Structure formats: structure tokens, C-alpha cells
Amino acid sequence: MIHHITKNTNKSHLYINNLWKRRSISDSIGAPITKPRFEQSKASYSRFPQRKTKEIEFPVPFAATNAKGVSRFSSISNNGLVGWYLGMIKTRPILTKSITSALIYTAADLSSQTITRSSSEPYDLVRTIRMAGYGMIVLGPSLHYWFNFVSRLFPKRDLVATFKKMFMGQAVFGPIMTVVFFSVNAGLQGENGSEIVARLKRDLIPTMINGVMYWPICDFITFRFVPVHLQPLVSNSFSYIWTVYITYMASLEKAGTT
């Protein structure tokens, strides 16, 4: 009796299943065939699932700034020349910026000599060493302290603060460094005090006028969009063309003292 009831129950179960399958099939007739939809995972893709992927952030020169006016810069990579240079700026900022200035002044002076000398004249390597020494000993450390000072004085990077920094650069730092540059190089060439003063009277004003036509746009880009620890590098990069000109001015003959 029990066996008979179980058998009938199993038949009823099979019948209901078959009926449900036929109903599902009949309901699907005429329905559009769609491909399964796959949603892309928000997680980073990796060919090796067992390894964690590393997100790479690219620097955006015109990125938004936070409340303190600090741009949200991040390095492209922790490896390679860029990563090494940024690491050196962090660990040995003055030395790194000084060597950078020396290299740029060396390249600029060689370019200046290439433009102005005749093909039969040899390169003046003493002049090149003199320019490299100025970049290493004087300009590199000066740029480091100057940009840090201006950044503390005007911590924001909005337009008002940027124009204030530009004005200080043109009114204070630029003239002082131009006087120092001409004086140091003239002294290293053996000129005495009166000859150095005569050179400054002859060359300082024309050099400053040309500087006003060149440096404001460079300073605007540097102060507005570049973080303070990279500002000396960017300023040195802009100064390459300027240094070609100013090394030529510094190499002119002595001015008359009469």
C-alpha cells in the first residue's frame, strides 16, 4: 500500500515538472533572444588574478588645488629616471637642484658659443666651466631658497598670489641675480671693481629690459601650475634660452671706465 502511494507521488512529481518545462518553453516562443549581459568589474583587470594590480596615477599639470593651494601632483612611476630624480629632490634637494643648474648652464654656454663663434675658433672651455660653477655654487642653492621663501610668503596658487610672486621675481630676485651673475663672472675674468661697475652700467639695464619681455610668462607657468619642489627644475628649463643670451652678454669685452 505504501509502495503504491510513493509510486503515484513520484509520477505526479514528474508530471508537474514536465508540465512546467513545456510551459516555460511555450512562454519563451517569440521572445527576443538576448545575449547575457556582463557588467565590467570595477576592480582593476589583471592577467594574473592572484596578483594585486597597482593603480597608476598620472600627473595633471592643471589639476585642481586643495584648500592650501597645493596641486594634486603624483609621479607617473616610482621607477626610471623620473622617479629617481624626484627621489633625489626629496632626499638631497639643494645638491640635486645645484647639479641641475650646472648642467643647464653648461649646455646653454656651449650653445651660446656655437652660435657666436666662427668655425675656426675653438670652444672656450674655461668659460664653460665658469658658467657651470656659477650654476652649481650660486644659482642652484639660490633658486631652492627663493622658491621656498616665496611659497611660504604666498602659499596659495591662485591668480592674485601668482601675480604677487611674479612681481617679486621681477622686482627683487631677477635684478639681484643679474647683478651677481655679471659681477661674479667679471671678477673671475680678472676685472677690477671699477671695470665691474662699468660693465653693470653698460649691460644691466638692457639685460633687465629683455628679461621683462621673457620671464613673466615663464614665471606665471612656474608659480601657477608647478609644485614648489619642482619649480627650480622648471625655472632652469626656461632659463636655458635665457642663459644662452646672458652668457653671451657676460662674455663681452670690458666696458670703458672713462
Side-chain angles (χ1 to χ4, degrees), residues 153-224:
L153 192 63
F154 305 108
K156 295 183 179 180
R157 286 221 300 268
D158 55 10
L159 288 177
V160 174
T162 299
F163 284 120
K164 289 179 180 178
K165 295 173 185 177
M166 291 170 57
F167 174 78
M168 289 192 62
Q170 294 299 314
V172 179
F173 185 75
I176 290 175
M177 294 309 298
T178 303
V179 171
V180 171
F181 176 77
F182 283 136
S183 301
V184 169
N185 280 280
L188 292 175
Q189 293 180 76
E191 298 182 18
N192 57 36
S194 59
E195 290 172 334
I196 292 175
V197 171
R199 177 183 288 273
L200 291 175
K201 290 180 179 179
R202 183 192 67 183
D203 298 337
L204 181 61
I205 298 301
T207 302
M208 290 180 61
I209 292 174
N210 290 328
V212 170
M213 293 187 294
Y214 177 75
W215 277 109
I217 184 63
C218 302
D219 288 342
F220 179 81
I221 295 173
T222 302
F223 288 124
R224 184 76 173 90

